Each structure stands twice: as C-alpha cells, then as structure tokens.
Amino acid sequence: MGTFTSTRKLDLSSSPPIFVLPTHLQPEEQHETEDKIYQAGGHITYDAKEARLFIGRVAQKKRAAFDLRAKGVWTDEAALPEHDPSGSHADGVEAEGPARKKVRLSTSTRGRRATSSTASASSEGSRRENQPSDVVWPDLSNHVLVVKLAWLEASIKEGYLVPYKPYIVYTARIVPKPDGQSTPTTSPTQPAHLKAGSSSSSQRRTSKPDVASILERAKAEAATLPAPRRRWDDHGRHANTSPTQHKRPQLHRQTTSEMEYLSTHPLPPLPEWATGPNATYSSCRSTFLHPPNEAFISQLTKIKEARLLRLDDIGVRAYSTSIASISAYPHHIAHPEEITRLPGCDQKIATLWREWQDSADTDAERTIPIVNDLDAEPDIQGLRLFWNIWGVGPDTARKFYFEHGWRELDDVVEFGWKSLTRVQQIGVKYYEEFLQKIPREEVELIRDVVLRHARRVLNIPESKYGTHEDVDCVIVGGYRRGKAFSGDVDVVLSHRDENKTKDLVGDVVGSLEEEGWVTHTLTLHTTTSDRGQATLPYRAKPHGGHGFDSLDKALCVWQDPNFEDDVEEGDGGGEEEAEKPRKKNPNIHRRVDIIISSWRTVGCAILGWSGGTTFQRDIRRYVAKVHGLKFDSSGVRNRGNGHVLDLEAPRPKNDPEVVKMLLQGERVERGDERWKGVEWDDKDTWEDRERRLMDGLGIGYRPATERCTG
C-alpha cells in the first residue's frame, strides 16, 4: 500500500463492521490496512460472518463472491436496499444523525461501544464537522458490500469518506449456507470487533501501532489458515457444494525406497517448452490427442467439469492449465516429482496422481477417490443431466436443479417448458439423439452436402471446382484435431471474392432447408455482414456466440432426409397408394454449425475454431501480453491504436524484419523496392493463410492434431 497524507483525520466510526480481504495483499499490507481502519475509528472485525463491508484488492464480482464464500459468507448477488429518508429502519440497524443508517454490531461490541460513547462523542462530532462528504450507508442487516481498496486510499488521502459507489465491486444479500458445506472457523484468540473508543483502543489511537500486537495478531490469524498450499483449498474445499470434496489428500512424503528409485531411475529431461519463456502458454507447444498420461488426464477432466458445474471459474482455469501441461508431457509419468516440475502443476496435482497410481495395478482400472465421490454425488449427476441439454450452461443447470427443484427431463417439460428458449426446447426434444457421437465418415458426408449447396447458391460451375474460383468448405472443431467421434459438426465456408461471402449464410441454410437437410434453424447471425465483413473492433460490445467468435453463422438441427419408406410401388394401387402417408423419418438428428468467413481473415476463423478450449484461451493471452494484440476469429487488431493487422497475406520468405513490420501495422506489398529479388511465400490456400498467421503471432505453426489441450 502507498503512503497516505491528509490535512484532515478520516472518521470511519459510521461505517459498518469491516473485514479486509487478504486476496492479492501481502500480510504486511493487510495488517497495515487494518491498522489504518482501526486508527480512523472503523469497526474492524476478524470474523467475516459479522462483517458487512469488505475491502480488498479485488476487481471481479465472481472473485469477490468466491473470497466471501471462502470465509464462510454465502451470498447471492443483489442490489443494496434503498435508503429510507424517514429515519425508520429494520431490526438490527441503528440510526446515527439525520438520514444515517448503521449495521448493529455484536452484543460484545455494543457493550464496549456503550462504555465509550460519552468519551468519544465530542471527538466524533469535531471530526464530522471537518468531513465535507456525508456518506450514507444502506441497511446492511442482510446484505454485504465489497469495495476496492482504492476507496479507502482515496478516503484517507482526502480526510473524509468519499462516495463508495464508484468503487463497488460486488453487492449481495446473505443467504444460508448450503447443506453439506463446511466453512472455516474463526480464531478463538481474536476478538469479534476492535472498536474505537474502548479502553484499549483509546490508548492505541493516541500512539503508534504496537508492532508486537500486530505480530501477535498475524500469528493468531495464521493459525486459522490451511497448510501452505492454500491454492488447493481455494479451488477445492471452499468452492465445493459436496462434503466429499472436503477430504484433503494426504501430502506425499518421499520414502527411502522412492529415494533409492530416483537414484537408479532419474527423472526424464523436461521438454524444451517447459523451461522456455513461453512455458505457461499451451498455444506455444504441441499437444496430441492421445498423450501418454491420458488415463490420469481423464480423471482430472472430471474434477474440472465438477468445478465448472459449481461455477468455480478459478478452479476451472487452474485444472485446465494443469491438464494442458500434462497432456503435452511426452513421457509416461512414473513419479510425482515429474508433475511438480511442469508449469501450472503443483503438489495438489502430484498428490492426486499418487492416489490414482496407488488405486489399482493398471491405468484402465485406476481412479482418484475424489472422482469416485463425484460420480456418486446426486447433485453432480443432476447438474450434469441438465448441462447436457443443448443451450443450457452451468448457470442455467443450477437454476433448474437448485432453484426449481427439477430432477428429471420430464420436470423441465412439465413445469418449465414455456420458460425455455427455442434452443433449449430443441435440446430437450432431441436430448438422447444429441448425446450420440458423430463418426468421422458422417461428418465428411455432412460437409459434402453443405459444400454442394454453397456451390449451388453461388452458381459455381463444375469446371471451377477445386480452383481459386471455387468455395472452400473446411471441417473444424474436434474432427480437425483428429477425434474419431464428434459431438457436433462445425464447417467454415469461405470464398476469395469477398462479395460472395456477404450474407452467404442465409442463402446456404435456406437451400438446405428446402431440400430437407436442416429441420430447425435455431440461430442465424449475420454480425460480420452487418459490419461490412470488417474485423471486430477492439472495443466492441460483448457478443453472444461460440467462444471469441463474431462471424456470420447458423446453428442448425440436421437430419438426412433420405430413408427407405415402407410404401412399395403397386402396394394398394392407384389413389390409395398416393394417399398413404410416408412413415416418420427414422434418421438421427445432429447439431451442425455453419460458419462464414471472408477470405481476408479465413486463417483467423479456422484457427479460432480448430484448437482446444485452453489452446484458444492461451492464444489470446499470449498475443495480448507479448505483442499487445487482440485476436479473435474475425482478425487481429493492435490494442494500442485499434489498427487491423494483416498477418495472413502472402509475404517475402525468410525475412525476420517482415514480421516486425506486420506487427507494427506496416503494409508489405510485392511492388516495394525492398523486396526486389526476394522469394515470396505467395501460396494462397486456407492452410497457407493459417500457417502464416500462427507464425506471425509468434506461437509457431503446428497442425490441428497437435492442439488438443482439452
């Protein structure tokens, strides 16, 4: 924390009980912050359950809610109660001065406060006279307020309470702790509150903070914290909704036999990617579909999915990083120390591996106990049931299960059908069919049909098939990464003539519907065509869609219209045969996404739709941090000036200065005198454009079969 100076003395006596969140604060910073609040007359509490105002170095709502939950405070996001100017107030709230409300403190605190009220009245009154701003606290009896540390810093600097609303991170109402949860206990050595005006506080407020007391307080607080590896607790114990997740794995201790093993079986060398400057970015290394440690990774994936269903974004990211790192490791793991050496992996993952390794004799039989508990947990089973509905995410699945109390798909149909979106209704209707995976041969047949209709609506003559005047249709997604079966089919359509890709998605889908291949068009976006097929602006409003995608696309329900009817020629004869209805189409329904990209950025579109989720995330992280760029499936922009960069176009070969020029936004044209006599990389297929893009971004090209991060 910085040093604050002010000509006025800040008065926090009107504030609700305050708790300082330790996230992103060093212990010294946390204790310094607490002392400043204490010296200003604030109601510091070390029991988060009693606090109503939380101050910390957090900026995201989800992180704030997570930190409160980690301290045993369970909340639902909600607006703060409106202030009642009449002076009436709810139970548990005291009014101080005109139009002022304050949360009532605990019994012990009220007692201390009463004994010192007379002594402190005059000093408080004088401070209020010097306070230009009269901050009115809302009724926080059943609500909490999380503000940025900057609010306290600004208030101390100014010498009075500055308005807190610009610094709000999270507002919520307090809810009961869910069944099966355990929360941390507070230290019995800590008082519930330290309130200015008590006999002890009056002594401290007239002198410098007692260093010894600060150290004692730090020791007492440390006694309540988990073992040093707190990250596991933050991702596991506090974020769970199941008592099965509260079992902390025993830390592995190296035995003499293991030490002897290591002396005769040294650990394999770390791959180059694990020690380089880009070790934390999965987009800068090769990750294959079937890695040596696939069985163990499948267990970690189940834990990650449970974190996802519990809305634990931090845990999801942590497990995603660990899974991507282990997936890229080229050796079969034989010792837990191999894991702790990998970026993004810690002792928690190594301990899980030891539990998995010791559970059985073969990889096929091995499991992690915590995964067995998850598989048997009714809540997780119910959430997964709803999560598998097309169009239902983790948030909605939790509403179905916890808020509405639904347990089966029939409950959704009976009690909530009218509240579902069209996508969700179709997801319920074809639930079992959508769960069936699509073999590669069928994916290719669907691609061929889409390509045929694209050629039809663009009037591509057969003589031009396979030439630069033809339309390209590329299968992306899991198919391109080499999966034997896919959950859905994603195809990207593009043409070198930009006029032909504008509004193409509607024409193609209409043609497919007319012939019976598409039975339902659930969403049809023309966002790229609407903005003239330009790259998405740097500061664009969030757009709902697939990942970081903003292209023209259609989400369709697909069914092969061709099937053998049981009506045979001559059966019944004449008009009776003609009137006999055809039987219902028995072919399975599939999910198909048709994406349209202009040729200028086709490499971005195909790259953006081809990698695993973590691979895509790390591309964005890498180019933002290393080059200051924004990448999405519609193109690349400079974050500083918003300029579009063309990293896909043909350019001179083997010239490192070219990439520098491109990243700076300069144009590289064949007619430039600088490139006389230089060989050009002027091939212009979508594969070439994707390769040049990856090289230009600095992540290096690798085929899609090496982007399987999960």
Side-chain angles (χ1 to χ4, degrees):
M1 284 184 55
T3 301
F4 309 124
T5 58
S6 175
T7 58
R8 292 186 294 267
K9 178 72 173 180
L10 176 65
D11 180 12
L12 288 173
S13 62
S14 66
S15 65
I18 302 173
F19 185 93
V20 178
L21 295 170
T23 306
H24 303 313
L25 288 176
Q26 296 296 326
E28 296 82 2
E29 292 180 298
Q30 180 182 351
H31 298 316
E32 180 184 351
T33 302
E34 292 167 348
D35 278 333
K36 289 182 180 296
I37 296 171
Y38 176 84
Q39 292 167 7
H43 307 274
I44 278 288
T45 177
Y46 297 96
D47 184 352
K49 295 179 182 178
E50 291 190 1
R52 292 300 181 268
L53 174 62
F54 293 82
I55 299 175
R57 192 168 287 160
V58 293
Q60 301 295 328
K61 292 180 181 179
K62 288 188 177 181
R63 178 70 211 200
F66 179 85
D67 286 346
L68 295 182
R69 193 164 67 244
K71 297 299 180 183
V73 181
W74 300 86
T75 61
D76 278 341
E77 183 178 3
L80 296 178
E82 292 292 332
H83 170 64
D84 181 6
S86 67
S88 61
H89 41 274
D91 182 45
V93 179
E94 298 175 346
E96 285 197 1
R100 180 183 300 277
K101 291 189 176 183
K102 181 167 64 176
V103 175
R104 180 169 307 203
L105 306 182
S106 63
T107 303
S108 57
T109 304
R110 291 201 303 271
R112 290 195 302 272
R113 183 176 161 200
T115 60
S116 60
S117 58
T118 303
S120 61
S122 60
S123 61
E124 288 184 2
S126 62
R127 281 197 300 271
R128 288 178 186 171
E129 290 178 359
N130 294 327
Q131 182 171 309
S133 172
D134 188 18
V135 173
V136 178
W137 298 102
D139 178 3
L140 296 178
S141 303
N142 300 307
H143 290 73
V144 294
L145 169 64
V146 181
V147 298
K148 297 178 182 177
L149 183 61
W151 171 77
L152 178 63
E153 296 172 349
S155 297
I156 294 177
K157 181 179 179 181
E158 298 297 331
Y160 60 87
L161 293 180
V162 302
Y164 59 81
K165 289 186 178 180
Y167 300 90
I168 289 177
V169 178
Y170 180 61
T171 61
R173 61 182 177 87
I174 302 172
V175 298
K177 178 173 66 68
D179 294 338
Q181 286 289 350
S182 66
T183 52
T185 56
T186 56
S187 170
T189 63
Q190 291 294 340
H193 290 284
L194 295 179
K195 172 68 178 73
S198 67
S199 58
S200 61
S201 66
S202 61
Q203 295 176 4
R204 290 197 55 183
R205 292 181 60 185
T206 59
S207 61
K208 294 182 179 180
D210 184 357
V211 176
S213 68
I214 295 176
L215 292 176
E216 288 301 319
R217 191 167 72 243
K219 291 179 181 178
E221 182 178 354
T224 69
L225 298 177
R229 289 285 182 180
R230 292 191 67 200
R231 178 181 173 189
W232 180 84
D233 273 354
D234 288 344
H235 293 168
R237 185 178 67 181
H238 298 325
N240 290 340
T241 56
S242 166
T244 60
Q245 291 287 320
H246 304 151
K247 301 175 183 177
R248 182 182 301 178
Q250 296 296 318
L251 292 180
H252 171 68
R253 295 184 179 181
Q254 198 173 88
T255 63
T256 304
S257 60
E258 284 185 317
M259 295 176 64
E260 293 175 352
Y261 174 87
L262 288 176
S263 66
T264 56
H265 299 80
L267 301 180
L270 275 172
E272 184 178 350
W273 60 261
T275 56
N278 300 327
T280 60
Y281 301 106
S282 65
S283 55
C284 296
R285 58 182 182 247
S286 294
T287 309
F288 296 94
L289 183 61
H290 298 293
N293 302 287
E294 187 173 11
F296 176 58
I297 292 169
S298 68
Q299 295 281 291
L300 295 181
T301 300
K302 289 187 176 183
I303 300 177
K304 182 188 76 172
E305 289 181 354
R307 296 291 188 271
L308 181 66
L309 293 172
R310 287 167 176 158
L311 307 184
D312 178 10
D313 293 341
I314 297 173
V316 171
R317 287 196 298 271
Y319 272 98
S320 297
T321 300
S322 301
I323 289 169
S325 194
I326 297 173
S327 296
Y329 189 60
H331 311 289
H332 191 279
I333 297 172
H335 194 278
E337 285 192 18
E338 293 183 66
I339 294 177
T340 55
R341 300 184 305 166
L342 297 177
C345 297
D346 56 12
Q347 184 61 48
K348 168 68 191 318
I349 303 299
T351 302
L352 291 175
W353 178 86
R354 170 56 69 190
E355 293 179 352
W356 174 81
Q357 177 76 9
D358 294 343
S359 65
D361 295 329
T362 65
D363 285 1
E365 298 174 325
R366 290 178 174 130
T367 60
I368 301 175
I370 201 172
V371 174
N372 295 336
D373 294 339
L374 289 172
D375 288 341
E377 185 180 325
D379 286 354
I380 292 296
Q381 293 174 359
L383 291 173
R384 187 174 285 116
L385 171 74
F386 297 132
W387 182 45
N388 283 329
I389 299 173
W390 192 24
V392 171
D395 285 285
T396 305
R398 293 182 67 85
K399 288 181 181 178
F400 287 179
Y401 188 83
F402 290 113
E403 293 186 17
H404 300 318
W406 299 339
R407 293 296 180 266
E408 300 176 351
L409 292 181
D410 288 344
D411 295 337
V412 179
V413 175
E414 182 176 357
F415 302 110
W417 184 257
K418 292 183 179 180
S419 67
L420 302 181
T421 66
R422 179 61 175 157
V423 174
Q424 292 166 353
Q425 289 177 343
I426 295 297
V428 172
K429 182 176 181 179
Y430 300 120
Y431 184 86
E432 297 295 338
E433 294 182 60
F434 287 165
L435 286 180
Q436 297 185 40
K437 299 296 184 180
I438 312 172
R440 294 180 67 83
E441 296 78 7
E442 187 178 347
V443 173
E444 292 162 2
L445 290 173
I446 292 173
R447 183 269 319 273
D448 292 343
V449 174
V450 174
L451 177 58
R452 174 167 61 84
H453 282 263
R455 285 168 170 167
R456 174 191 294 177
V457 299
L458 291 176
N459 298 315
I460 306 293
E462 189 172 350
S463 60
K464 302 298 183 181
Y465 291 179
T467 70
H468 281 195
E469 297 182 46
D470 193 12
V471 61
D472 282 85
C473 186
V474 185
I475 308 172
V476 288
Y479 171 92
R480 190 162 178 244
R481 296 196 297 275
K483 287 187 175 182
F485 296 91
S486 302
D488 61 359
V489 179
D490 303 320
V491 294
V492 173
L493 288 170
S494 187
H495 195 281
R496 289 165 180 80
D497 183 350
E498 194 164 285
N499 293 323
K500 294 185 180 297
T501 50
K502 187 175 187 300
D503 298 320
L504 176 61
V505 63
D507 296 336
V508 172
V509 171
S511 180
L512 290 166
E513 287 178 336
E514 185 178 348
E515 200 170 280
W517 295 95
V518 170
T519 61
H520 305 78
T521 302
L522 300 179
T523 60
L524 195 149
H525 297 293
T526 58
T527 49
T528 301
S529 293
D530 293 344
R531 62 172 186 267
Q533 301 191 91
T535 296
L536 187 70
Y538 169 44
R539 298 193 181 278
K541 293 181 180 179
H543 175 77
H546 181 284
F548 55 109
D549 170 66
S550 65
L551 299 176
D552 288 2
K553 59 182 174 293
L555 276 61
C556 307
V557 178
W558 183 281
Q559 184 183 41
D560 188 341
N562 303 305
F563 62 95
E564 291 186 6
D565 203 338
D566 57 359
V567 177
E568 299 180 0
E569 292 186 8
D571 184 13
E575 295 181 359
E576 292 183 4
E577 179 182 338
E579 293 175 358
K580 187 174 182 180
R582 298 188 66 187
K583 71 176 183 181
K584 183 179 178 181
N585 187 340
N587 292 327
I588 192 170
H589 291 84
R590 302 298 196 184
R591 293 178 294 143
V592 175
D593 295 346
I594 301 173
I595 307 106
I596 311 296
S597 172
S598 66
W599 190 255
R600 177 174 46 83
T601 56
V602 67
C604 292
I606 292 175
L607 175 60
W609 280 76
S610 292
T613 302
T614 308
F615 185 90
Q616 294 176 5
R617 180 200 70 183
D618 285 352
I619 289 178
R620 304 195 298 279
R621 288 180 54 236
Y622 175 83
V623 301
K625 184 174 182 180
V626 177
H627 298 305
L629 304 178
K630 175 182 183 292
F631 167 74
D632 64 47
S633 56
S634 71
V636 182
R637 281 190 180 270
N638 185 296
R639 288 180 177 268
N641 54 32
H643 291 169
V644 177
L645 306 184
D646 189 357
L647 303 180
E648 298 183 19
R651 60 177 183 242
K653 284 184 177 180
N654 305 322
D655 193 326
E657 291 300 317
V658 174
V659 173
K660 284 187 179 180
M661 293 172 58
L662 292 171
L663 291 175
Q664 293 170 0
E666 297 186 41
R667 297 179 66 87
V668 177
E669 298 179 348
R670 185 184 288 271
D672 196 310
E673 289 291 328
R674 287 176 292 184
W675 315 123
K676 273 192 174 181
V678 176
E679 184 181 358
W680 276 66
D681 178 12
D682 55 3
K683 293 181 179 179
D684 200 30
T685 65
W686 62 264
E687 294 99 326
D688 298 314
R689 285 184 163 264
E690 183 189 45
R691 175 176 51 79
R692 285 193 290 260
L693 170 66
M694 296 180 73
D695 288 337
L697 291 175
I699 60 177
Y701 177 77
R702 56 190 49 78
T705 52
E706 298 178 20
R707 308 175 203 167
C708 305
T709 57

